[in-house]
Amino acid sequence: MLSNHLQNGIESDNLLWSRVPESDDTSTDDITLLNSHRDGDGGVNSLDYEVIENYAYREEQAHRGKLYVGYYVAVKWFFSLLIGIGTGLAAVFINLSVENFAGWKFALTFAIIQKSYFAGFIVYLLINLVLVFSSAYIITQFAPAAAGSGIPEIKGYLNGIDIPGTLLFRTLIGKFVIS
């Protein structure tokens, strides 16, 4: 039997969510292979959060009633619906804001170009420089976690890696403003 494994940062004698056979007939080669996958030497380390694969979750749900399980599933679907609606509304808000701001920028530039091409070019350049520097200021000073797409950070978070600032409200605001 394998002992003294690290589980969720805590050293323990037996693993609660192990797929390792608990019998003593495991060969030395199997133990080396399993330890290399656990210790990060040759495999991918991540949390097992799928319902089908998670033995502890299935065991806990077996102790609860069917009414609770149905309620739990309904709550998960409800929150998924709310997240989808919120994401859609945020996308609409960002799209309308970008279109209106771009329209204002081009209308102003076009009005100035009617008088002088050079002045129109300078105004267009200055507006874009203000946008770039404001985005850079937001990323460096206000919400550094808002840099990039955010998809790798969320994937890492779902796999058990805690990245500071990823799920803060200021990161969301920073993403909205730099979009």
Side-chain angles (χ1 to χ4, degrees), residues 7 11 30 34 55 62 84 98 104 129 131 148 153-154 161 164:
Q7 178 175 325
E11 193 169 323
D30 292 339
L34 292 169
Y55 174 75
V98 168
W104 171 79
L129 282 174
L131 291 174
E153 288 85 356
I154 296 301
I161 299 168

Side-chain angles (χ1 to χ4, degrees), residues 34-102:
L34 292 169
N35 282 336
S36 71
H37 284 289
R38 280 203 188 98
D39 297 335
D41 294 337
V44 176
N45 290 331
S46 68
L47 295 177
D48 212 2
Y49 54 88
E50 292 184 23
V51 175
I52 298 170
E53 299 287 333
N54 195 330
Y55 174 75
Y57 176 78
R58 287 190 308 217
E59 190 174 294
E60 177 190 347
Q61 294 299 71
H63 294 316
R64 301 192 185 263
K66 290 188 178 197
L67 183 63
Y68 175 80
V69 173
Y71 168 76
Y72 185 69
V73 168
V75 166
K76 284 180 12 179
W77 276 103
F78 177 71
F79 279 116
S80 295
L81 177 69
L82 284 181
I83 289 170
I85 290 171
T87 303
L89 289 175
V92 166
F93 174 74
I94 289 172
N95 190 25
L96 289 175
S97 299
V98 168
E99 284 183 8
N100 286 331
F101 192 79

Side-chain angles (χ1 to χ4, degrees), residues 115-143:
K115 297 175 181 147
S116 168
Y117 285 117
F118 184 72
F121 172 74
I122 295 297
V123 167
Y124 185 76
L125 184 70
L126 288 176
I127 290 173
N128 287 327
L129 282 174
V130 166
L131 291 174
V132 167
F133 284 126
S134 65
S135 294
Y137 178 79
I138 288 169
I139 293 300
T140 58
Q141 303 299 320
F142 181 70

